């Protein structure tokens, strides 16, 4: 899929932020690490990567209350990714009559893209003609002709003529009947002088209303140099980036284009005439995240935990006074967000994850049972759970009272102890991975479940 790594890192980060109990240094560090890895994998320029990381860190250090900070972080990530992909982009606006010249190096997808653009605008009622001026590549006219036939669009070519100007002149009169003429041109291995001259000669005679540069996503961030070189040598109005479906460097290509003044109008996402998409960073990102419901998520994050609760909990953890009652409060607040299946739909990225229903149900059931278990304990037991291990008859009583098993109680105690130990024993809060509440709530469990859902893993 297009930009998988960036999309996944974003989803993961937003997921971490939503489910974290505190926005602290370790949460920020872990988000920055994920983002950096993803952006670099997608070949995004290291300078851009550093800039985003700085912004996330700066926000992380700001003295903003926890929930508000979560909200701002999610927005920041969302906005930054949209911005590096080009922010608000111009869409290709066509007048009643247009002639578009497609230029680019060898094999970038010019001819294929022309068939895609033709398909796109044909559906929108345009009367389209294709004109083949690629006189260099063997069988280029035939390729265009075949594509034209496939999509039933009139195609003008000349299989013998080697002078593009002459080909144009031969068909000039006929082309006037069309309101959108798409002109295919020849490429070269590099932007050499002969290519520049050819494009400029064609432009002088054909007088295209737009010249679109076609580049392949494979070149990653080198797209910047290529776009700029073409901008300098010719009159580029915009760019189409092809092979977004098959290149891991797509992120680099798009972000590199965003740094030039040329807008990316479309992206090519396959070899077929229909594999073309309008490129709009904003909708692109929301689709990457599969959300559309960022606001709702933020609302839920807000209402689930109050500032006071958070501060209280943090203090207790730091002082090692985290009792089973507090653990119970945590469980309750998590359930306040809703059932796991509802949370799943709200957390971008999780919505689409294939989580077996039984797994959600068993997790929900477990959490519910933990609540019953704690409810069945005496005050003394809640404050000093050690006695439960010394006097095992108590376990039996609680199990009966809560309709659970002693085994479940032992699991719960294990989780609770683990959290307490982490908080009081092993150093400061910053040493804890608070970004991962699973480690806080219970090793490998709870919210981590959300992350690990879908993978065939034993949760408990
Ligand atoms: P040209 O030399 O610039 O005209 O490039 P072509 O249009 O002939 O395309 C070169 C190769 O890239 C062909 O095999 C196309 O099928 C392939 N191609 C073009 N666009 C895309 C795309 O968006 N995705 C994929 N996967 N392949 C593409
Ligand atoms: Mg071609």
């Amino acid at each position: 899929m297009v930009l998988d790594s960036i999309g996944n890192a974003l989803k993961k980060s937003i997921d971490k932020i939503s489910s974290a109990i505190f926005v602290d240094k370790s949460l920020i560090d872990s988000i920055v690490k994920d983002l950096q890895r993803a952006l670099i994998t997608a070949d995004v320029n290291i300078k851009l990567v550093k800039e985003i990381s700085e912004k996330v860190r700066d926000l992380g250090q700001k003295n903003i209350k926890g929930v508000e900070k979560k909200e701002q972080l999610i927005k920041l990530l969302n906005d930054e990714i949209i911005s590096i992909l080009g922010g608000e982009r111009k869409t290709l606006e066509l007048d009643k009559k247009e002639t578009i010249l497609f230029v680019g190096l060898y094999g970038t997808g010019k001819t294929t893209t022309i068939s895609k653009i033709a398909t796109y605008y044909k559906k929108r009622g345009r009367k389209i003609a294709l004109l083949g001026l690629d006189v260099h590549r063997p069988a280029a006219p035939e390729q265009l002709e075949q594509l034209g036939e496939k999509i039933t669009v009139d195609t003008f070519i000349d299989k013998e003529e080697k002078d593009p100007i002459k080909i144009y002149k031969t068909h000039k009169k006929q082309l006037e009947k069309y309101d959108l003429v798409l002109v295919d041109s020849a490429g070269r291995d590099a932007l050499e002088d002969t290519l520049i001259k050819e494009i400029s000669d064609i432009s002088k005679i054909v007088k295209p209303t737009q010249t679109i540069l076609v580049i392949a996503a494979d070149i990653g961030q080198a797209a910047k140099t290529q776009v700029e070189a073409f901008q300098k040598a010719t009159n580029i109005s915009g760019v189409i980036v092809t092979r977004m479906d098959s290149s891991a460097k797509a992120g680099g290509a798009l972000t590199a284009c965003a740094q030039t003044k040329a807008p990316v109008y479309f992206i090519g996402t396959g070899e077929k005439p229909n594999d073309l998409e309008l490129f709009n960073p904003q909708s692109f990102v929301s689709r990457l995240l599969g959300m559309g419901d960022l606001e709702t998520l933020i609302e839920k994050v807000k209402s689930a935990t109050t500032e006071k609760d958070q501060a209280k909990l943090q203090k207790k953890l730091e002082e090692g006074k985290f009792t089973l009652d507090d653990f119970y409060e945590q469980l309750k607040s998590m359930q306040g967000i809703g059932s796991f299946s509802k949370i799943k739909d709200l957390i971008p990225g999780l919505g689409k994850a294939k989580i077996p229903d039984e797994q959600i149900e068993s997790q929900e059931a477990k959490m519910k049972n933990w609540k019953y278990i704690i409810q069945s304990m005496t005050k003394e037991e809640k404050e000093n759970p050690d006695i439960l291990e010394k006097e095992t008859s108590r376990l039996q009583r609680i199990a009966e009272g809560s309709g659970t098993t002693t085994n479940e109680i032992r699991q719960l105690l294990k989780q609770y102890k683990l959290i307490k130990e982490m908080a009081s024993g092993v150093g400061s809060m910053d040493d804890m991975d608070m970004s991962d509440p699973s480690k806080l709530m219970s090793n490998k469990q709870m919210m981590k479940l959300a992350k690990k859902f879908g993978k065939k893993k034993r949760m408990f």
Side-chain angles (χ1 to χ4, degrees):
M1 228 287 282
V2 184
L3 292 189
D4 258 348
S5 63
I6 297 182
N8 287 338
L10 256 184
K11 282 181 219 169
K12 207 165 136 194
S13 299
I14 291 181
D15 182 7
K16 273 185 185 168
I17 297 166
S18 329
S19 56
I21 294 175
F22 307 109
V23 179
D24 62 0
K25 191 173 169 296
S26 64
L27 175 69
I28 299 291
D29 284 346
S30 111
I31 287 168
V32 168
K33 213 169 84 192
D34 289 346
L35 259 188
Q36 286 181 340
R37 193 182 301 135
L39 294 174
I40 289 166
T41 306
D43 198 41
V44 174
N45 186 296
I46 191 77
K47 249 179 77 186
L48 277 180
V49 178
K50 277 188 182 153
E51 275 170 31
I52 296 195
S53 307
E54 281 311 303
K55 283 182 189 164
V56 173
R57 288 220 163 90
D58 282 353
L59 179 56
Q61 277 168 5
K62 274 198 186 138
N63 191 14
I64 309 168
K65 284 178 189 162
V67 176
E68 211 175 296
K69 206 173 197 174
K70 282 184 173 189
E71 202 185 316
Q72 289 194 17
L73 262 178
I74 293 177
K75 281 208 170 116
L76 176 76
L77 289 173
N78 192 56
D79 294 351
E80 282 304 314
I81 297 297
I82 289 173
S83 151
I84 63 166
L85 290 173
E88 276 203 23
R89 276 302 199 181
K90 277 204 302 189
T91 45
L92 179 62
E93 278 174 25
L94 297 185
D95 277 341
K96 283 209 176 80
K97 230 170 151 62
E98 297 262 359
T99 300
I100 307 179
L101 173 63
F102 291 80
V103 300
L105 301 183
Y106 272 141
T108 52
K110 292 180 292 300
T111 311
T112 314
T113 300
I114 285 176
S115 76
K116 293 177 181 177
I117 293 286
T119 308
Y120 184 88
Y121 283 107
K122 194 180 169 209
K123 280 189 203 144
R124 285 157 181 80
R126 288 278 182 160
K127 195 167 181 321
I128 299 167
L130 310 185
L131 173 65
L133 299 189
D134 180 353
V135 292
H136 289 267
R137 204 186 120 171
E142 287 84 351
Q143 186 196 4
L144 192 69
E145 188 178 40
Q146 279 164 17
L147 283 170
E149 270 167 24
K150 196 164 151 192
I151 57 173
T152 52
V153 167
D154 295 341
T155 307
F156 300 89
I157 52 158
D158 195 322
K159 290 177 189 165
E160 311 302 327
E161 183 53 62
K162 290 293 169 207
D163 180 357
I165 306 298
K166 280 193 185 145
I167 302 177
Y168 171 70
K169 284 185 174 158
T170 314
H171 301 297
K172 187 169 184 275
K173 199 96 211 115
Q174 289 161 290
L175 290 170
E176 280 166 10
K177 290 189 297 207
Y178 298 86
D179 59 22
L180 181 57
V181 178
L182 306 176
V183 186
D184 194 14
S185 71
R188 298 290 190 282
D189 284 327
L191 183 57
E192 53 193 59
D193 292 347
T194 61
L195 179 57
I196 298 174
K197 181 166 185 317
E198 191 172 308
I199 294 172
S200 116
D201 287 348
I202 293 175
S203 297
K204 264 182 223 146
I205 308 293
V206 177
K207 298 197 179 65
T209 45
Q210 312 248 7
T211 301
I212 290 182
L213 172 66
V214 179
I215 60 167
D218 316 34
I219 58 170
Q221 55 179 297
K224 183 166 181 273
T225 338
Q226 195 172 118
V227 173
E228 282 171 350
F230 269 90
Q231 269 179 323
K232 234 165 133 188
T234 62
N235 193 14
I236 304 294
S237 42
V239 177
I240 294 180
V241 183
T242 65
R243 289 213 268 276
M244 289 292 294
D245 54 312
S246 56
S247 171
K249 290 182 168 182
L254 284 177
T255 50
C257 287
Q259 292 183 299
T260 72
K261 287 196 181 71
V264 176
Y265 289 135
F266 290 93
I267 51 175
T269 55
E271 299 190 70
K272 305 224 169 57
N274 274 319
D275 297 332
L276 182 81
E277 293 173 19
L278 267 179
F279 183 63
N280 170 343
Q282 192 141 15
S283 54
F284 189 66
V285 168
S286 29
R287 225 187 38 203
L288 268 184
L289 296 177
M291 59 176 158
D293 220 359
L294 191 64
E295 298 303 318
T296 317
L297 176 75
I298 287 175
E299 270 313 301
K300 294 285 174 184
V301 170
K302 248 188 202 161
S303 59
T305 37
T306 67
E307 296 303 328
K308 246 169 68 195
D309 291 345
Q310 284 196 347
K312 228 164 69 189
L313 182 66
Q314 178 140 20
K315 192 155 175 276
K316 283 192 165 169
L317 273 165
E318 279 164 0
E319 292 169 353
K321 286 181 189 157
F322 183 71
T323 67
L324 272 167
D325 269 329
D326 301 316
F327 189 45
Y328 176 72
E329 286 305 315
Q330 272 299 303
L331 288 175
K332 250 183 26 193
S333 85
M334 278 183 60
Q335 285 175 336
I337 307 178
S339 68
F340 254 108
S341 48
K342 272 196 214 123
I343 300 172
K344 178 179 96 77
D345 289 337
L346 281 166
I347 297 176
L350 265 189
K352 275 201 225 131
K354 286 193 194 73
I355 305 170
D357 283 348
E358 318 88 76
Q359 238 172 22
I360 297 177
E361 277 161 24
S362 84
Q363 177 63 18
E364 284 176 0
K366 237 157 227 169
M367 283 169 59
K368 221 175 245 157
N369 281 352
W370 284 0
K371 277 173 64 177
Y372 296 143
I373 292 169
I374 298 172
Q375 278 170 343
S376 297
M377 291 180 185
T378 63
K379 193 166 179 291
E380 186 194 9
E381 287 163 348
K382 281 190 274 190
E383 277 164 12
N384 182 19
D386 283 350
I387 55 170
L388 293 172
E389 277 155 64
K390 285 180 202 130
E391 301 167 36
T392 45
S393 62
R394 287 174 185 263
L395 290 181
Q396 199 51 47
R397 191 207 78 240
I398 295 168
E400 274 161 29
S402 59
T404 60
T405 63
T406 52
N407 218 2
E408 280 175 277
I409 304 172
R410 286 207 172 88
Q411 269 184 12
L412 160 70
L413 291 173
K414 212 167 111 193
Q415 301 315 319
Y416 159 74
K417 269 175 78 173
L418 193 99
I419 296 161
K420 214 177 151 192
E421 268 166 35
M422 278 170 66
S424 54
V426 205
S428 74
M429 295 289 284
D430 269 354
D431 293 333
M432 287 174 67
D433 188 1
M434 302 295 271
S435 63
D436 188 348
S438 59
K439 289 189 192 145
L440 180 71
M441 301 292 297
S442 55
N443 191 24
K444 287 191 208 148
Q445 296 170 7
M446 297 298 226
M447 295 304 257
K448 187 156 196 175
L449 174 93
K451 273 179 233 163
K452 296 288 179 193
F453 261 149
K455 287 185 192 163
K456 279 213 170 124
K457 234 181 190 176
R458 254 179 66 92
M459 294 298 164
F460 289 83

